[in-house]
Amino acid sequence: MVLDDPRSIADLRRYFLKAGDEAYAGGQFERLGGGGSRPDIANIVTAADLIAVELLSVHLPPHRLLDLLQGHLGERLAAELARIPVEVELRDMDAVPLIAVGGPADIAWRMLRDTDGIGWVLAGKLLARKRPKLVPVYDSVVACALRTGTGFWEWLHGRLREDNGSLAQRLRVLHRQANLPAEVSLIRVLDVVFWMRHHHEHQGSNCRGLELS
């Protein structure tokens, strides 16, 4: 049981709280520049957002950086972000119309994913920066560790709601025990625990992953 393993608390502290040469750059993803979901910048992409995304080991081509900051792509994304409330959490029922096919979060993700030079991983990480309570950070290592694939948002929404929210409660306990900053969401706790446990051993398509429970 990965979430119940005492190593998970230590991993969270190492990822989010270490400083200096021992720090993980991704531990600043939520907090850099005051965060990406502040009211004044919640619906626009800023330079701090793009730097935060690159802290998660993904890189945008220069022309896409400019397009997001001052071009048509940024304008289109802003229109969809304006339709996604900042405070809705993935475990809420209000999340369903946002993440469902044709919902604003889904439209924004597909728009970014299908843009040359971005792709599905970077698209998800950028949206996670702008809506950290709703959109999880998700890449091939996390997908492998959790043994999940397409439809991850819907899958995780269901897991967070089943058994009277027992998974959400376990994540909340881990958050408290690791003494994490308030800006770190429950769904971020999940992805970091599994990424920390699995990224060194991940073997690509031949990997068996881990177990959620």
Side-chain angles (χ1 to χ4, degrees):
M1 294 186 180
V2 177
L3 294 178
D4 296 328
D5 189 317
R7 289 177 294 174
S8 295
I9 297 174
D11 283 344
L12 287 167
R13 288 173 176 163
R14 283 199 299 132
Y15 189 88
F16 287 108
L17 303 178
K18 285 289 186 179
D21 291 342
E22 295 181 344
Y24 281 81
Q28 294 294 317
F29 174 71
E30 294 82 7
R31 293 174 281 172
L32 186 73
S37 59
R38 300 194 324 267
D40 55 324
I41 51 95
N43 298 333
I44 61 172
V45 175
T46 68
D49 292 331
L50 299 177
I51 294 171
V53 167
E54 297 216 347
L55 295 179
L56 298 180
S57 300
V58 290
H59 303 287
L60 276 161
H63 59 288
R64 290 297 169 229
L65 292 170
L66 293 174
D67 200 4
L68 284 164
L69 288 173
Q70 56 190 33
H72 185 53
L73 182 60
E75 293 174 355
R76 293 168 60 203
L77 179 57
E80 297 305 326
L81 288 173
R83 300 171 57 203
I84 307 172
V86 170
E87 293 302 319
V88 174
E89 299 186 33
L90 185 58
R91 62 193 176 95
D92 297 339
M93 282 306 298
D94 288 346
V96 174
L98 302 175
I99 64 173
V101 175
D106 175 70
I107 291 172
W109 180 80
R110 292 175 186 274
M111 177 179 64
L112 292 169
R113 178 201 63 181
D114 295 339
T115 299
D116 184 47
I118 296 184
W120 69 274
V121 172
L122 209 159
K125 290 179 176 180
L126 181 55
L127 289 177
R129 166 73 179 181
K130 301 308 296 181
R131 295 296 183 271
K133 296 180 180 181
L134 177 71
V135 179
V137 173
Y138 189 59
D139 61 15
S140 59
V141 175
V142 177
C144 178
L146 292 170
R147 298 186 179 185
T148 52
T150 57
F152 178 68
W153 295 355
E154 292 87 349
W155 174 85
L156 184 52
H157 168 78
R159 292 301 302 263
L160 289 165
R161 292 191 64 82
E162 68 185 12
D163 298 329
N164 294 316
S166 62
L167 174 58
Q169 180 59 31
R170 288 162 75 187
L171 296 173
R172 191 175 293 109
V173 169
L174 280 173
H175 193 292
R176 183 174 64 252
Q177 290 176 331
N179 197 27
L180 300 182
E183 296 88 349
V184 177
S185 69
L186 296 185
I187 55 176
R188 184 76 168 121
V189 171
L190 180 73
D191 93 74
V192 168
V193 165
F194 279 83
W195 185 86
M196 288 288 282
R197 189 67 52 84
H198 193 52
H199 72 285
H200 287 306
E201 290 77 28
H202 180 59
Q203 300 173 4
S205 60
N206 296 319
C207 195
R208 297 184 60 185
L210 300 172
E211 292 288 349
L212 179 59
S213 60

